Amino acid sequence: MGKIGKQTWRFEKPIYINSTGTTVGPLESQGPLKDSFDKWFDKLHCDEKNWEAAERKLLQEAITICLNKANQTTKNIDIFLAGDLLNQTVTSNFIAREVQIPFLGLFGACSTSMESLALGAQLIDSGYAQTALCGVSSHNGATERQFRYPTEYGGPTVKTKTFTVTGAGVALLSQKTSHVIVKEAIIGKVIDWGIGDPNNMGTAMAPAAADTIYTFFQDTDYNPQDFDMIVTGDLSSVGSPILKQLLLEKKLDISQNHHDCGLMIYRPNQPVSAGGSGCACSAVVTYGHLVKQLTKGTIKRVLVVATGALLNPTVIMQKETIPCIAHGVVLEAAGGQNS
């Protein structure tokens, strides 16, 4: 692995996404990307007795789908990197108990999707693993109950609030040649803009995304025009314009190719307030929609920057402001350059 500039990794070995698995809940399956997902559930409980068990089912099913596509079993996987939003990353821990793969549990909030992908690629590039399984999950019912209010409470929402995506996304990495290659990664810094409102995550996370994206272009010889898409994880309709304005102030214009997973996954008329969020938001859009587009050659190169708010319910009640982070990964159609 070669370090470039301050925060960017350029992988020296070819590291491929060999397969992916995506599962989503009922509202996500009604969105514009439905056909990009491998499996969807018609009910939020996913045929389980509670929301936490439903989230575990989403992640387990995504792993099974991913491994089946690659004709692999858990016995052939060297490392499992996973995270979620529930206390002590309990979903990932319980699934690690089932799959019996050496496990690294991660928490970067909603940035964990690209954190796990970057670390999985780094372990392969440095020779400490030959195969890495990277996955995340989130569930609207379980997450809303933990961080805000139980959904049954029926509290009024606000326009700045995001809607936790119900789903799970998993990717299998190795050096075996495939259609999508992991080229670079950038590890973000924790940025706190002084926002303390858990119902305004887009505003809180936008500066972290801006810092990571700006640093990436400072570290590398890329320009924004070299990417078909620059995709953020879940800034929503609130954070996305803030991100673009912050970058414009630094003479960096991404307005022509910026997209946000939280806006891509739902239709404008769906009841999701400012857009989607959660670990699964960037994961299912990336491992479903974006990987399919890269495989088809519809796009050649994409920078995915997943954003996360590093909070818990206790510190919010203590009126603390919210530190945020953003990690990014460059994905390319194998052998392709930007057209």
Side-chain angles (χ1 to χ4, degrees):
M1 181 189 73
K3 183 172 177 286
I4 303 171
K6 292 183 178 181
Q7 296 167 226
T8 303
W9 301 342
R10 179 163 289 161
F11 302 112
E12 296 175 349
K13 298 175 182 177
I15 299 165
Y16 296 92
I17 295 180
N18 294 137
S19 63
T20 60
T22 54
T23 55
V24 297
L27 204 58
E28 294 73 22
S29 70
Q30 296 166 18
L33 302 183
K34 174 181 179 179
D35 292 339
S36 298
F37 306 134
D38 294 305
K39 185 172 183 176
W40 51 89
F41 291 87
D42 294 330
K43 296 181 180 179
L44 203 59
H45 276 85
C46 306
D47 301 319
E48 296 293 332
K49 61 184 179 181
N50 57 57
W51 289 328
E52 288 74 18
E55 183 172 338
R56 294 196 293 273
K57 185 170 188 176
L58 288 161
L59 183 54
Q60 182 65 74
E61 292 276 354
I63 290 170
T64 300
I65 291 165
C66 180
L67 293 178
N68 285 344
K69 285 183 184 179
N71 196 27
Q72 285 280 18
T73 68
T74 56
K75 294 180 180 180
N76 297 324
I77 308 303
D78 294 327
I79 190 77
F80 176 42
L81 304 102
D84 56 86
L85 295 176
L86 300 187
N87 289 335
Q88 289 75 52
T89 59
V90 68
T91 301
S92 303
N93 296 342
F94 276 42
I95 294 302
R97 177 184 64 183
E98 299 301 317
V99 297
Q100 287 295 292
I101 303 169
F103 172 58
L104 288 175
L106 306 173
F107 182 80
C110 305
S111 72
T112 309
S113 59
M114 293 305 108
E115 179 185 6
S116 61
L117 196 66
L119 290 172
Q122 193 266 0
L123 287 169
I124 294 172
D125 194 58
S126 58
Y128 290 100
Q130 293 183 333
T131 54
L133 194 66
C134 310
V136 297
S137 63
S138 56
H139 188 285
N140 183 268
T143 302
E144 293 295 316
R145 178 168 59 194
Q146 178 174 295
F147 284 97
R148 287 184 269 255
Y149 300 105
T151 52
E152 297 95 332
Y153 176 74
T157 188
V158 293
K159 292 182 179 179
T160 58
K161 180 179 176 292
T162 52
F163 186 91
T164 304
V165 166
T166 296
V170 176
L172 175 63
L173 301 179
S174 79
Q175 288 188 261
K176 181 181 178 180
T177 303
S178 189
H179 296 290
V180 179
I181 190 167
V182 182
K183 294 290 288 185
E184 289 103 2
I186 178 165
I187 304 303
K189 296 182 296 185
V190 174
I191 305 293
D192 189 334
W193 221 28
I195 305 296
D197 182 1
N199 290 312
N200 192 7
M201 292 290 92
T203 300
M205 294 188 295
D211 185 79
T212 295
I213 293 170
Y214 180 77
T215 302
F216 173 78
F217 285 109
Q218 290 293 108
D219 284 353
T220 67
D221 54 0
Y222 287 122
N223 294 307
Q225 296 77 16
D226 295 323
F227 292 85
D228 295 293
M229 300 174 72
I230 297 172
V231 181
T232 47
D234 53 357
L235 295 183
S236 74
S237 60
V238 175
S240 293
I242 296 173
L243 165 69
K244 287 181 274 193
Q245 181 59 39
L246 289 173
L247 290 175
L248 278 175
E249 291 173 3
K250 295 185 176 184
K251 312 298 183 185
L252 190 66
D253 186 0
I254 65 168
S255 59
Q256 298 303 307
N257 50 0
H258 173 256
H259 303 265
D260 188 75
C261 295
L263 298 175
M264 296 168 68
I265 193 168
Y266 296 120
R267 301 184 191 279
N269 62 349
Q270 288 185 279
V272 295
S273 299
S277 62
C279 292
C281 185
S282 57
V284 299
V285 173
T286 300
Y287 299 152
H289 177 67
L290 296 180
V291 165
K292 282 182 170 61
Q293 295 302 305
L294 287 161
T295 300
K296 293 177 182 177
T298 307
I299 57 177
K300 301 295 185 182
R301 183 187 292 132
V302 59
L303 170 63
V304 183
V305 179
T307 45
L310 306 175
L311 74 158
N312 71 16
T314 301
V315 297
I316 291 301
M317 289 188 288
Q318 294 168 344
K319 307 300 182 183
E320 296 285 349
T321 57
I322 302 169
C324 299
I325 198 163
H327 302 300
V329 173
V330 175
L331 302 177
E332 283 188 4
Q337 299 297 318
N338 194 39
S339 58

